[in-house]
Structure formats: structure tokens, C-alpha cells
Amino acid sequence: MSRTVSKSDWHPASWQAFPASQQASYPDKAELERVVAELSRLPPITTSWEVDALKAHIASAQRGEAFVLQGGDCAETFDACTSEDIVSKLKILLQMSLVMIYGLKKPVIRVGRMAGQYAKPRSADTETRDGKTLPSFRGDLVNRSAFTPDDRIPDPQMILRGYERAAMTLNFVRSLVDGGFADLHHPEYWDLSWVSHSQAAEEYQQIVSSISDSLDFLETVSGREFHQTQKAEIYAAHEGLHLHYEQAQTRFLGRKGRESWYDLTTHFPWIGMRTAEMEGAHIEYFRGIANPVGVKVGPGMTREWIQDLVRVLNPHNEPGRLTLIHRYGVKRVEEQLPDLISAVKETGSPVLWVCDPMHGNTESTADGVKTRRFDNIMAELGAAFRVHKKMGTYLGGVHLELTGDNVTECTGGARGLTDGDLARAYKSTVDPRLNYEQAMEVAMRISGL
């Protein structure tokens, strides 16, 4: 089926007429349809006005007036839907953004990989252990991680469980924000107890004191409170991989004369490179929704491909609509990114450029443990800033896999973690994440960049 930019033939399920990669094979199709129908009747996780607000913020970042911080787990798990885990994620995003606001002297838009990052692409449909072959684990939204035949069967009920946990997560985030947890007057609320011995702790505390003193001074002089400092907006994002899940919460909404289809599973869905084929189902679904959307781009993406993506996903050159998240790896970014930027500039379309310095720098240790080197992450990020400056474009965001926990999954950083340290606290079931100290060091380096 040919790809067009007209929305007249689009509806939330029109993607089903296109080749759909990275989708689970459900043995019980009738149960899948029943679950999708049930989910379509349940209240949405986000609202159209929240989605529109984020699009306006992204438009400001496209103009160089703001910076996007997107971060969180590589893959959320149902077991981690706890108040402690959610608070920990919020704390690291808030602390990083505070440092970046201080250093960049501009607003920071906080977008969490949370409240829906339950599905993951896999390199193969099956996995073999000790001579036994079973379906691959595709994330808690699809099946279970235990290596047994029953656990690996895709279960439609997991879609409902994912919806429930995503809704609980985002509702708790909203409650924390509304309750003053994100008040810039009280950044001490965000401290993580174990980090007091971090080498960056003293510098962070100086930044906190400086911002608090500045707020107190301005409010004393003006005689009024700056209410916009009392709530730090937190938006949710996930890879829009599981198309039945996205379809079920797609609603036709909006103000009179501006009605559109919204994907209300999240504020900001993105497409991974593995599912960005122009004739594929993901492009078909994403072209019809009004959300701001992202696309991961990197090695192997041609000028024609990226220009077609821009044409189909943002045919009217709408500000705030399209974000391109480049993920090349430190060895390729300076060589290959300029040509991609040049191709997009030829379209005349406004895009937000974001650097993902994580995925292109994944490697394995001699023992077969997947990791990422902190120095490579920072080197790619620094190179991306240099390339965009040279090309006359603005690097308006960073996309990181990180956690507020004291894990040892990426080597390097202020503590100089080595391959031998990885076994101490390696908790990720998919990709290695920056721990708190490493994430804060990234934020402080960006502030300097």
C-alpha cells in the first residue's frame, strides 16, 4: 500500500493494512480484540490539552528558547510501579533539570520515559537456551520474562495491566506535582539520601542555594510569589511500539474547528529506527495523530528516507510536531550527522534535534555483560553540540536511559566504575542505564556545554 500524507483515509486502526514489524504474535486473536475494545472504553491516561501544551513547549525548543531533558528506564516493569520508584525517577529528572536551567539560562522541558515504557523491540522473535526455543520477552506489556512456555506466550491481559500501571504512575506524578513536590522553593525535597558522598554533591548544593536565594530576592523585591516556580511540569513518553495498545486509546478530540485524533496513552510517543520503515504500520499510525512525535534516526538512514519521514509525519510544517532523536555512537556522529541535518534543512520543516548518546555506544565486556562507557556517552554528546553549531542548527535536547538508583551498569563517571564493578548492582533486564551520579554529571557537563 502506498504512503500518502492525506488524513482522509486514516483512522486509528488503518495501520493494520500495513506490514507491522516488532509486533507480538497473539495465539488468541479474539481475546486480543476483546481487550482492545475494553481498553478503548476506559478513561484516557493523558489529556489533549496536556498534549497540546507539550507541543507548544517543543516548538519553543525548536526555536532555541528551551531545552528538552528526556530520561528514564530503558524498559519499565510492573513490579517497579511503586511510590519509591516513581519518586526516585522524579527526583533525578528534577535535579538534572535544575542544574541545566542554572547553566543553560533557559527553561528545561522534562519528559520522562515513564507511564507506558513497557514494550521493547527485540532483535529476534525467539530465544534459545540449553536447546529450548521460546518466544522472546517483549516487555511486560506483552509477556513475562521467566523462560517457560506459559510465561512467554503473548497475553492480551498484560495490555490492561500495563494501562493500569501507566495510569497509576502518571496520576501519582500529578499528585506529587500538585502537592508541591516540584516547588523550586524547596529543591531539598528532591535529594536522594545515598548521594551525600558524591563528588558532585557540593556543587549541586551551591546551585540549589543560589537558585533559592535568587527566588527569595526576586519575590521580596516584587512583593509577590512566582507561582510558575511552584510546579515543574512533567510529561510522559514511551516508544509507540505496541500498536494495538496505542490504537485503543486514540480519541477524536479538540476544540471546535480544531478537532484531531490524539494518542492518549502518553504525551510524547516516538518511533524506533527498527520500526521507521516508510511503508510500515508505525509510520501509518503516527502520521494520523496530533501528538508531538519523535523518530530515532542514525546509521543507515539515507537523505531520502529522512526527507520522506519529515514529509509524511509533518506535511504542514507544524512547529512542535516533529522531533528527530539521533543515535549514532561516538565513532560515527561527526562523520554522518551533518549529511542528515543538511537533508532535513532542505525540507524547510521545523524539527527539534535531540541527541541520544546511549544506544549507539552499547558494547559488551569480555564476560558478555552489556554496558556503556561514560566517556563515550559524553564524547558523543559533545560532538553533537559541535556538529549542530557548525551546521547552524540547535541541539535542543538530550535523550537518556537513567535511573535514580545506585546501580552499576555503565562504566566510568566520577567514581571510575570498571567492568569488574558491574556485577555489584546490575539490575536492568534490557539496556544499561546511567546511575544517579553519572546522570548528574551529564547534566553538569551539558550546563557547561
Side-chain angles (χ1 to χ4, degrees), residues 338-357:
D339 192 48
L340 207 68
I341 294 174
S342 174
V344 173
K345 289 174 73 173
E346 288 178 5
T347 69
S349 179
V351 302
L352 174 65
W353 291 102
V354 170
C355 177
D356 170 1

Side-chain angles (χ1 to χ4, degrees), residues 26-140:
Y26 288 91
D28 191 340
K29 299 296 193 297
E31 175 66 3
L32 174 63
E33 292 179 5
R34 190 196 68 77
V35 165
V36 170
E38 180 178 349
L39 182 53
S40 69
R41 294 190 294 269
L42 294 175
I45 294 173
T46 61
T47 66
S48 60
W49 52 87
E50 290 173 340
V51 170
D52 289 342
L54 176 59
K55 185 183 289 185
H57 289 319
I58 290 177
S60 70
Q62 289 175 344
R63 297 190 298 268
E65 299 166 1
F67 193 86
V68 173
L69 169 62
Q70 185 172 4
D73 285 317
C74 52
E76 291 179 286
T77 64
F78 291 173
D79 289 343
C81 183
T82 67
S83 57
E84 293 81 5
D85 279 287
I86 296 168
V87 166
S88 178
K89 291 174 186 177
L90 270 192
K91 284 180 177 179
I92 185 61
L93 283 176
L94 289 168
Q95 286 187 317
M96 290 180 73
S97 66
L98 190 68
V99 168
M100 292 161 67
I101 290 169
Y102 182 83
L104 297 174
K105 304 294 189 291
K106 61 182 62 177
V108 171
I109 304 158
R110 306 162 190 87
V111 181
R113 289 173 58 112
M114 64 193 311
Q117 184 61 13
Y118 293 122
K120 290 294 290 182
R122 311 307 293 178
S123 56
D125 290 335
T126 60
E127 177 185 357
T128 301
R129 298 184 193 176
D130 300 324
K132 180 191 292 187
T133 299
L134 295 175
S136 294
F137 173 55
R138 291 188 173 274
D140 282 359

Side-chain angles (χ1 to χ4, degrees), residues 226-252:
F226 293 94
H227 294 286
Q228 64 268 31
T229 68
Q230 296 176 9
K231 290 184 180 180
E233 294 173 311
I234 307 289
Y235 294 98
H238 66 247
E239 181 176 356
L241 186 67
H242 193 302
L243 291 175
H244 283 102
Y245 178 69
E246 310 299 323
Q247 170 193 323
Q249 287 263 297
T250 304
R251 310 287 171 86
F252 191 69

Side-chain angles (χ1 to χ4, degrees), residues 246-407:
E246 310 299 323
Q247 170 193 323
Q249 287 263 297
T250 304
R251 310 287 171 86
F252 191 69
L253 298 167
R255 292 167 290 280
K256 188 173 182 180
R258 291 182 55 193
E259 293 88 357
S260 301
W261 289 98
Y262 288 83
D263 177 0
L264 299 181
T265 65
T266 189
H267 301 111
F268 181 85
W270 78 84
I271 307 171
M273 268 203 69
R274 300 188 198 194
T275 52
E277 308 99 332
M278 287 308 304
E279 299 305 319
H282 289 82
I283 298 299
E284 170 62 19
Y285 173 77
F286 272 70
R287 76 179 180 90
I289 58 175
N291 303 57
V293 300
V295 184
K296 291 286 190 79
V297 300
M301 185 158 282
T302 64
R303 295 176 63 90
E304 294 75 17
W305 188 359
I306 193 71
Q307 289 177 342
D308 283 346
L309 284 170
V310 172
R311 174 181 60 84
V312 170
L313 293 177
N314 194 20
H316 304 297
N317 293 342
E318 181 185 3
R321 161 65 174 172
L322 185 58
T323 295
L324 298 178
I325 308 165
H326 51 75
R327 38 149 295 173
Y328 278 97
V330 65
K331 296 179 181 179
R332 294 173 170 174
V333 60
E334 291 191 90
E335 176 188 351
Q336 298 185 16
L337 179 58
D339 192 48
L340 207 68
I341 294 174
S342 174
V344 173
K345 289 174 73 173
E346 288 178 5
T347 69
S349 179
V351 302
L352 174 65
W353 291 102
V354 170
C355 177
D356 170 1
M358 306 291 290
H359 286 86
N361 293 307
T362 306
E363 58 186 82
S364 295
T365 68
D367 296 329
V369 179
K370 190 186 292 187
T371 190
R372 290 158 176 162
R373 313 291 179 191
F374 184 82
D375 287 348
N376 289 340
I377 291 169
M378 288 311 310
E380 179 171 359
L381 191 54
F385 273 99
R386 291 193 299 273
V387 168
H388 280 284
K389 184 176 182 180
K390 182 178 179 180
M391 295 294 295
T393 47
Y394 173 64
L395 181 60
V398 63
H399 183 117
L400 303 168
E401 290 186 341
L402 54 83
T403 176
D405 296 332
N406 189 12
V407 301

